[in-house]
């Protein structure tokens, strides 16, 4: 749905102002490449926080505590 909205928005921009639409089409891969390191940093920090959470809850897990979602599913 998000992709369809983007295509329709680009087509509307192409009808209204085609040079700006072509510029957006050319610039989008460059912007994606510039933002890629920030996305990788975000994934890294997300993994780091998940690891720290697992490390902090390890003693409770060893003593038999289970998260609520796992207790319902299991």
């Amino acid at each position: 749905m998000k992709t369809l909205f983007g295509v329709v928005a680009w087509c509307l921009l192409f009808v209204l102002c085609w040079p700006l639409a072509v510029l957006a089409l050319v610039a989008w891969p460059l912007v994606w490449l510039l933002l890629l390191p920030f996305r990788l940093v975000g994934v890294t920090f997300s993994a780091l926080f998940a690891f720290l959470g697992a490390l902090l809850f390890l003693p409770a897990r060893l003593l038999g505590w289970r998260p609520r979602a796992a207790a319902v599913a299991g």
Side-chain angles (χ1 to χ4, degrees), residues 48-70:
L48 177 68
F49 289 138
F51 174 72
L52 287 176
L55 193 64
L56 288 174
F57 281 108
L58 181 63
R61 296 290 299 262
L62 290 175
L63 292 174
W65 177 80
R66 296 277 182 246
R68 212 175 271 251

Side-chain angles (χ1 to χ4, degrees), residues 24-25 31-32 35-37 39 53 57 61 65:
L25 196 65
V31 169
W32 185 83
L35 293 179
L36 189 60
R39 179 176 278 181
F57 281 108
R61 296 290 299 262
W65 177 80

Side-chain angles (χ1 to χ4, degrees), residues 6-50:
V7 169
V8 169
W10 184 84
C11 288
L12 184 64
L13 182 65
F14 187 75
V15 168
L16 294 176
C17 181
W18 68 267
L20 189 59
V22 171
L23 179 68
L25 196 65
V26 170
W28 182 252
L30 299 175
V31 169
W32 185 83
L33 281 174
L34 286 174
L35 293 179
L36 189 60
F38 296 108
R39 179 176 278 181
L40 292 174
V41 167
V43 168
T44 303
F45 273 98
S46 178
L48 177 68
F49 289 138

